[in-house]
Amino acid sequence: MLVGSVASSTFTLPVDTATIILASAILSAIFAFFSIRSAREIARKNATINMIEKVEATAHYRKLYSTFSYYKRLNSFDRLYDPVEQKDKSDRQDVLDFLNHYELVAIGIEKNVLDFDIYRLWMRGPFVSHWNAAADFIQRIRWKYDDGKDSWSYYTDAFSSFQRVALRFSPDAINLNANYAAHPEQPQGPSDEPIPAPPDLDKTAISWFGGRNARKWI
């Protein structure tokens, strides 16, 4: 006998078999939950990295980026409010497509299809810089004139996900609202026509983003 040991005795705690089975099931469920969550996080991070690599490598994206950078450098987005020349019309579409790319990315982030942290680490600077550079242009797009009502309306949905994510990325991101800049005194052309009401988001199915309506502003 070891020094200080208690005299040997037999004492067995009653263990219910059902309790053991339940505990085992709970532990298995917890393990499965964390395994699935971990796999989803890895898949989301990989999807984000792949998206960045593939998009930036395409000739189409580089063309859009080049057009946007030209107007950003000259601070001349106002030329695209109501373009007349064919080149300006084409450039306006390029700029809108470039901004639509960011809107789509932002929707992916908000829907947890793309990884917030990975994208922020890689694209935070350009994302916020491009948002701020285009803020006046986007503000102008949001103001729409309705001839029938003889009034202006402010459409907050235009690039709204882009704005929300930019504000999450940086306190320096411009927070657009109706008070940021007033509507023009007079309509300037077809770009001021009211935007059709969006479809019911609950009924709009876009599988990649889990049912959210991915708006493209043209």
Side-chain angles (χ1 to χ4, degrees):
M1 175 184 285
L2 296 177
V3 177
S5 66
V6 180
S8 65
S9 62
T10 302
F11 180 74
T12 305
L13 290 173
V15 179
D16 183 74
T17 303
T19 301
I20 296 176
I21 294 174
L22 177 60
S24 177
I26 292 173
L27 290 174
S28 297
I30 293 173
F31 177 77
F33 170 78
F34 283 105
S35 296
I36 292 172
R37 189 172 72 172
S38 177
R40 286 177 177 174
E41 288 178 356
I42 293 172
R44 186 165 58 245
K45 292 180 190 307
N46 287 337
T48 305
I49 293 172
N50 291 336
M51 183 273 298
I52 294 172
E53 290 179 342
K54 290 180 180 179
V55 168
E56 292 189 351
T58 64
H60 177 65
Y61 176 83
R62 291 181 182 276
K63 176 179 179 292
L64 301 182
Y65 175 77
S66 176
T67 302
F68 181 88
S69 296
Y70 171 80
Y71 287 93
K72 177 177 180 288
R73 186 172 64 254
L74 299 179
N75 191 26
S76 58
F77 288 105
D78 56 326
R79 287 172 47 188
L80 305 180
Y81 290 160
D82 185 30
V84 176
E85 299 296 329
Q86 185 58 44
K87 181 184 182 304
D88 290 340
K89 291 181 179 180
S90 177
D91 286 352
R92 173 186 167 87
Q93 190 59 59
D94 281 355
V95 168
L96 286 171
D97 286 348
F98 184 75
L99 297 176
N100 279 323
H101 160 72
Y102 277 132
E103 176 73 359
L104 191 61
V105 167
I107 292 173
I109 289 173
E110 291 187 326
K111 288 298 180 181
N112 289 322
V113 175
L114 299 175
D115 189 80
F116 177 88
D117 292 328
I118 291 291
Y119 194 83
R120 180 180 58 181
L121 285 171
W122 185 253
M123 292 294 293
R124 175 181 177 273
F127 192 94
V128 175
S129 174
H130 293 159
W131 166 259
N132 285 348
D136 289 344
F137 179 66
I138 293 171
Q139 178 75 358
R140 182 65 185 79
I141 288 173
R142 288 181 173 182
W143 281 114
K144 298 295 180 183
Y145 182 76
D146 190 330
D147 278 324
K149 298 179 180 178
D150 190 26
S151 63
W152 290 88
S153 298
Y154 186 77
Y155 288 81
T156 57
D157 277 350
F159 301 107
S160 57
S161 292
F162 187 3
Q163 174 171 334
R164 284 192 296 270
V165 173
L167 291 172
R168 290 173 64 189
F169 278 177
S170 172
D172 296 327
I174 294 173
N175 187 14
L176 292 182
N177 54 58
N179 296 322
Y180 175 79
H183 61 73
E185 293 183 3
Q186 298 293 331
Q188 294 178 306
S191 62
D192 287 328
E193 293 177 356
I195 299 173
D200 186 340
L201 299 188
D202 292 333
K203 297 179 181 178
T204 302
I206 294 182
S207 60
W208 199 49
F209 294 126
R212 173 161 183 172
N213 177 33
R215 300 170 298 276
K216 182 175 181 180
W217 302 98
I218 298 176

